Amino acid sequence: MSAQADDGHCPAYGERLRLDELLEIAQVHENPERALFFGAHQACEIWFAVVLRHLETARRDLTEGRGAEACAHLDRLPRIMEAVAQHFDALHALTPEEFDVVRATLGTSSGFQSVQFREIEFLCGARDRRMLNIAGLTDRDRARLLARLDEPSLDDAFAAYRDRAGEDVKRVQDAMVAFDAAMRSSRGRHAALAQALLGGVAGTAGSSGAAYLWRSMERTLFPQLTQGVHSDDC
Ligand code: HEM
């Protein structure tokens, strides 16, 4: 049962999670409304990092012909996206008036500039190059996105795997479709949140706000895959 390191020191919970450092930099020290707003965003960014690690691993598994292993990683993603969506739901606890006070301090900053979110899209295969020109991205953000464009997408990796008649093709396809659906559902919960808090007002990044987010539900993460799967949906 002992998890002691060789030097006999067993890091306690807070130490293992580096909670002192994490909570020092987390934006949860201001008033309760700002703590809720920024805490939810930072929590989502941690989840986005977790999603990226799963997608990278699944892509490597597919490239190396391991469909079942890829599924094991992809199958976790709908639940993770549900956790992200629950952060959107939690923000309904803010009234439009409380949100307005927070919003007045945001300037043009917006989740629209989330580089990890764009990395998820680019890594999957949804590669809208206009996203490279989003105002507010740093040179480092842009370099990360350009690097993603140089890599094969998960969509590409799946197409190659399917063409090699890999085993588990159907299972992998179902897992990718389930992740795409979970992303779409979280986009819907995000749109409903923006609708409730912003009404018809534009977003801080200058988009049409809730209308932009509702429209984003039409997007797919996997253009090649869904062409085959949903060809009769349009
Ligand atoms: C009060 C809560 C929120 C409101 C009212 C809101 C509103 C919006 C709006 C209107 C946009 C469109 C771009 C713009 O013009 O700004 C947007 C984009 C975005 N937001 Fe939020 N948001 C909220 C919470 C969150 C949270 C907690 C996250 C988690 C990181 C997040 C992540 C994103 C992302 C990734 C985009 C880009 C979506 C895309 O381009 O498909 N948002 N948000």
Side-chain angles (χ1 to χ4, degrees):
M1 286 299 285
S2 167
Q4 287 197 351
D6 288 349
D7 64 0
H9 175 70
C10 175
Y13 174 81
E15 215 178 334
R16 189 173 289 283
L17 296 183
R18 298 174 60 185
L19 281 186
D20 284 346
E21 290 154 274
L22 186 65
L23 293 174
E24 173 66 26
I25 59 165
Q27 284 174 268
V28 290
H29 304 286
E30 300 177 54
N31 71 42
E33 290 72 35
R34 290 177 69 81
L36 175 53
F37 181 83
F38 290 111
H41 279 82
Q42 289 185 312
C44 287
E45 288 292 340
I46 290 182
W47 284 120
F48 292 162
V50 173
V51 169
L52 282 167
R53 298 299 84 75
H54 280 73
L55 290 171
E56 287 162 350
T57 308
R59 180 185 54 189
R60 193 181 61 227
D61 285 334
L62 279 188
T63 306
E64 294 172 7
R66 294 187 300 269
E69 285 84 345
C71 280
H73 294 105
L74 293 171
D75 283 346
R76 293 176 180 159
L77 296 178
R79 284 195 179 89
I80 296 176
M81 286 318 296
E82 173 59 26
V84 168
Q86 285 183 0
H87 287 86
F88 297 136
D89 296 352
L91 283 163
H92 280 276
L94 291 174
T95 65
E97 294 72 27
E98 287 167 337
F99 172 61
D100 258 2
V101 175
V102 178
R103 178 177 148 76
T105 66
L106 297 178
T108 54
S109 84
S110 162
F112 197 57
Q113 296 150 350
S114 165
V115 69
Q116 290 201 107
F117 185 78
R118 294 299 160 218
E119 281 187 271
I120 291 172
E121 291 185 323
F122 281 21
L123 173 47
C124 284
R127 298 184 162 186
D128 183 342
R129 297 184 71 96
R130 286 173 301 179
M131 299 302 181
L132 294 168
N133 301 320
I134 289 173
L137 288 189
T138 64
D139 289 347
R140 200 161 147 253
D141 292 340
R142 207 163 278 113
R144 277 170 67 168
L145 294 179
L146 285 167
R148 290 291 178 192
L149 291 179
D150 279 343
E151 302 168 355
S153 67
L154 189 62
D155 213 16
D156 296 330
F158 175 71
Y161 176 76
R162 186 187 48 206
D163 291 349
R164 289 199 311 271
E167 287 171 25
D168 301 307
V169 167
K170 176 80 170 67
R171 273 187 66 202
V172 178
Q173 177 170 307
D174 289 350
M176 289 169 70
V177 169
F179 175 44
D180 202 24
M183 174 61 87
R184 195 168 296 116
S185 159
S186 87
R187 288 184 194 275
R189 286 171 50 194
H190 190 177
L193 173 68
Q195 186 82 54
L197 294 184
L198 279 173
V201 174
T204 44
S207 80
S208 57
Y212 165 81
L213 294 171
W214 287 121
R215 259 201 326 279
S216 75
M217 289 183 74
E218 292 161 17
R219 293 194 226 150
T220 173
L221 292 171
F222 305 113
Q224 300 178 63
L225 174 82
T226 44
Q227 236 172 25
V229 176
H230 295 305
S231 53
D232 50 350
D233 276 6
C234 325

